[in-house]
Amino acid sequence: RIRDSSQRNATLSATSHHSLGTMGWRYESGAERFGNSLGGLFIGPLFVVGGMAILLWNEGNYVHTLKDIEEAKSSAVTLPCGTTFADVMNGSGTHNVKDGSTVYFYGCNVTQVPNITDQVFTGAVAASPASVMSRTVQANLWDQSCHSHDDSHGGKVIVCNYYQAWRSCATNFMTSWDKKDYDYFNYKNRNDAYFNNCSRLAQTATTAPSYCSNNDYTSICANLSIQVGGTTAVTQDLIQKLSLETNPAAGLVDFLPLAYQSNITAGGQAFYPANTSNMYCWPWCGSSALGAMKVTFQVKRFNRISLAGKLLTLNSTRALAVVQIKGSHGGTPMTYAHLGNVSKSDLFNNAQSENVVMAWVLRFVGFVVIWLGAVMFFLPAARFIAMCSSCLGGMVEEVICCVTCPFALMMTLTMIAIGWFAYRPLVGIPLVVVAAVCFGMLTVRAIRRGRESNGYTTIQ
């Protein structure tokens, strides 16, 4: 697999710090790397355009979301925690709200579920009243770690190590593997049967009577009600955010135990307890066999919560529900829910802060995408030179990265300026004028310095 014994020995030496027993090698010639880089001539410009689109969309979304937050804040009606269905029925109640109104609750007690039960594993029940149960399923599977080094002719030696590790069953980590390695399919096929089994156990039942949600790392089930006559439910999106908070001072009691069981079962497969009653394993805890699984449960209790949302009246059960607010300006729907006693102004100010953070994150993402696209476009030149001189080709790659960075930054600032022109002209136009004046002053100063360095004297 390696062209000659010297390359193989160099590869083994370079990987001696890995205490892993299984390795795979492959070699890419300089011509192959040059051919692979040619796609950047077409994909690179698409990345640049895509980054520009992200930046323009982000500026508009930031402004629209800000307006949605201000709209929700101004229209939110504060309801006491004792509000009942009759109080808001058809808008004829004492609180002057109706179905679809934006409402706010301050520091309401949470009605705990007496016996919150997992929807997949029979026997997994909270030992005491709780608000949320989350489940994480992991399996001992083959994983891949690759690294490489260049040779003197622009080629690349790639070494992939294979080792067993505990990985989340809710995330298909094999998608990030180097699929060109010779041993890829061998280890993937050995993983598939076990991964499919544990992935099935990581999901929640679609017919679960309680609110459940899935993400890349865990499955969350809850049946949460704020104490509004015992009848107001909080929907999944709000539960998802509350489950991420970890501040005990805000009214969170965390890591509640499960009721001890000699085993829990899923699909006829028995899992046995570890020393802690919140972990169960198959075939037993401590097993390092390929495909061994462990299931970890986390049970939380929320004592008090403050939240805002759209009010729904459920006529069939004569109950109320609070759902996520979707504003009229088309911005990203925000989740207004926090543990503890949080005032209305603080609740919406927190949402505005989250909107600002997300806007800056996407600005950085747009910058990186544009930069990556520019590098991809010019990379074939460096790969072509590397076929003659690996050292020179590496230097050209570094120059490309350095030169395209200011270009990407300039494009990013330009797109942000255009976005502010379009969505907030009263703010954007003065900013651009100030920037243009500063740029002009710097240009004039640079020209004067250039003349002086050439022997000319500037007469004031």
Side-chain angles (χ1 to χ4, degrees), residues 250-265:
L252 169 68
V253 179
D254 207 350
F255 298 109
L256 299 174
L258 296 183
Y260 177 81
Q261 299 289 336
S262 59
N263 66 75
I264 60 175
T265 61

Side-chain angles (χ1 to χ4, degrees), residues 23 92 119 206 270 275 343 427:
M23 295 183 184
S92 59
Q119 303 302 311
T206 56
N275 294 331
S343 67
V427 178

Side-chain angles (χ1 to χ4, degrees), residues 29 55 63 65 125 132 145 151 170 174 181 194 220 239 241 243 248 263 284 308-309 332 400 419 427 441 458:
S29 67
L55 292 168
V63 173
T65 303
V125 182
V132 170
S145 175
D151 66 9
M174 287 187 289
D181 181 70
Y194 297 112
I220 298 174
I239 293 171
K241 181 169 183 178
S243 66
N263 66 75
W284 62 81
T332 300
I400 289 174
V427 178
M441 292 174 63
T458 302

Side-chain angles (χ1 to χ4, degrees), residues 20-244:
L20 307 172
T22 307
M23 295 183 184
W25 297 268
R26 68 184 179 89
Y27 177 76
E28 286 185 0
S29 67
E32 184 180 0
R33 296 183 72 192
F34 170 68
N36 292 336
S37 68
L38 290 176
L41 296 174
F42 306 97
I43 300 176
L46 295 179
F47 269 63
V48 172
V49 173
M52 295 166 60
I54 290 173
L55 292 168
L56 285 176
W57 175 86
N58 177 56
E59 296 308 314
N61 183 70
Y62 166 74
V63 173
H64 294 153
T65 303
L66 187 61
K67 292 180 179 179
D68 285 339
I69 294 172
E70 294 171 349
E71 177 184 72
K73 183 178 181 179
S74 62
S75 63
V77 178
T78 302
L79 294 182
C81 295
T83 304
T84 64
F85 177 83
D87 290 331
V88 298
M89 182 66 176
N90 298 323
S92 59
T94 58
H95 301 294
N96 195 30
V97 293
K98 59 182 179 180
D99 191 64
S101 295
T102 301
V103 296
Y104 160 74
F105 293 97
Y106 172 78
C108 294
N109 291 328
V110 176
T111 304
Q112 311 297 335
V113 181
N115 294 298
I116 187 167
T117 304
D118 188 83
Q119 303 302 311
V120 173
F121 287 85
T122 303
V125 182
S128 57
S131 304
V132 170
M133 173 185 287
S134 63
R135 173 190 353 110
T136 302
V137 184
Q138 293 180 300
N140 194 1
L141 300 170
W142 284 105
D143 204 348
Q144 180 199 66
S145 175
C146 296
H147 62 281
S148 64
H149 65 273
D150 296 341
D151 66 9
S152 59
H153 302 288
K156 181 168 66 173
V157 179
I158 301 168
V159 181
C160 290
N161 299 292
Y162 293 90
Y163 57 97
Q164 287 180 222
W166 290 97
R167 292 292 180 259
S168 170
C169 295
T171 305
N172 189 354
F173 60 94
M174 287 187 289
T175 57
S176 62
W177 283 22
D178 183 349
K179 300 176 179 60
K180 293 183 179 180
D181 181 70
Y182 294 108
D183 291 321
Y184 165 75
F185 286 106
N186 177 30
Y187 287 96
K188 179 182 182 300
N189 291 337
R190 294 169 68 181
N191 265 356
D192 276 349
Y194 297 112
F195 179 79
N196 292 337
N197 184 34
C198 72
S199 179
R200 173 180 59 85
L201 299 179
Q203 304 303 311
T204 53
T206 56
T207 57
S210 56
Y211 295 110
C212 297
S213 62
N214 296 322
N215 56 36
D216 289 341
Y217 305 102
T218 186
S219 300
I220 298 174
C221 292
N223 192 351
L224 187 62
S225 297
I226 60 175
Q227 201 173 48
V228 186
T231 60
T232 299
V234 180
T235 53
Q236 168 180 320
D237 42 25
L238 301 178
I239 293 171
Q240 180 81 17
K241 181 169 183 178
L242 290 172
S243 66
L244 299 177

Side-chain angles (χ1 to χ4, degrees), residues 399-430:
V399 170
I400 289 174
C401 288
C402 294
V403 170
T404 53
C405 181
F407 165 77
L409 181 60
M410 180 190 68
M411 293 299 299
T412 299
L413 296 177
T414 300
M415 292 300 104
I416 292 175
I418 293 175
W420 281 96
F421 255 99
Y423 299 109
R424 279 205 164 180
L426 295 180
V427 178
I429 292 176

